[in-house]
Amino acid sequence: MGFTLSTQLSSARCSRICAAPLRTFGSCRTLSRVVRGAGTAARAGGDSEAVPPVQQMSYDDALKVLGLSGPSSFEQIVTAKNKQLAASQSNQEKIMEVETAYDVLFMQSMKKRMTGDIEVPTSVRFADVPTRKRSSSRSSAAQPSLLQKLPGGVAVAAPKQSVAAGQAAVFAGLGGWALVQAVLETPDAQAADTAGLQVAAAVAFAVYGFREYKKLSLGRSIGLSVGALTAGILLGAALNAWLRVDIVPLGSFSSPGVFVSTFGITALALASAFLA
C-alpha cells in the first residue's frame, strides 16, 4: 500500500513537471525510470523493502537540497536540479529528493507567475505552444510599403543627396535658361516660344540619370521621362488656362509655351530624384 501511494504521488509530480518548458522533459524520463525501478524492487522483495513515501518538503528545505541560497529564476532552478541529479547517479533516494525539491520550487515559481509577482520571459515556450516562424529581415525589407507602390511597377525611393543635388542644379539651370530667354524676347516672340531646346535637354538628362544612377533599362528610363514630362505639361497647361499669362503677363513674362514647359522640366527633376 505504501509503494502504491508513493508511485501515485511520484506520477502526479512527474505530470506536473512535464507541464514545464521543454527543457525539463529529460528529468521526467529520469523520474519515470526511478519509479519503475522502485516498483520492480518492491515486487521482488515484498512490502518490507518498498520505497517509503516521499515526505512533504518546505520551500527552504527545497532550496537547500538544490544548493540555492534564495529565490532564483527558472533557469537557475533547472541548472541546479540537473547538477544535483548528475551527482546523485544511481542513488534513487537522492534522486527522489532532488525531484521533490524541484517540484516544490517549480510550483512556487508557477504560483508567482500566475499572480503576476514575476514576469514570464518571452523565450519560455511550453509544449502546447507552437513556435512561430520568423520571416527574415531581408524579405520584409524587400517589400515596399503601400505608399511606395505606384501603377506600372513604379516605386518611390529616397534620392542620394550627392546625386540629387547635382541633378537639381542641372534642371534648375535649364528652367532658368528658358525663363530668362523668354523675358529677353519681344511679346510676339514670347507667344511663339515653347523652350523646346531646354525641354529636350531636360528629357535627355533625365534618361541619363535613370540609366546611370538608378540602373534602369533604356526603355524604362524613356518611359518614366516621357510620363513625367507629360504630367508636368498637363499641370502647367491647367494653371495657364486659369492664369492666362498671355493676357495678364507676370511682369515682363507673357509666354504660355515657356510657362507650361517649366512645369514639364520641374516634373522631370522630381521624377529623376524620387522614381525608380
Side-chain angles (χ1 to χ4, degrees), residues 123-186:
S123 59
V124 174
R125 293 290 181 268
F126 294 87
D128 56 345
V129 179
T131 303
R132 296 181 179 179
K133 295 182 179 180
R134 298 182 179 180
S135 58
S136 62
S137 58
R138 179 180 299 180
S139 61
S140 60
Q143 297 178 355
S145 63
L146 293 178
L147 295 179
Q148 292 178 305
K149 294 181 179 179
L150 296 177
V154 180
V156 177
K160 296 181 180 179
Q161 294 184 355
S162 58
V163 175
Q167 287 182 317
V170 172
F171 286 113
L174 293 174
W177 175 21
L179 291 174
V180 170
Q181 177 178 294
V183 170
L184 297 178
E185 293 175 339
T186 62

Side-chain angles (χ1 to χ4, degrees), residues 7 23 63 72 100 108 142 165 181 192 200 225 269:
T7 303
R23 285 169 289 183
L63 290 175
S72 305
T100 302
Q108 183 70 14
Q181 177 178 294
S225 300

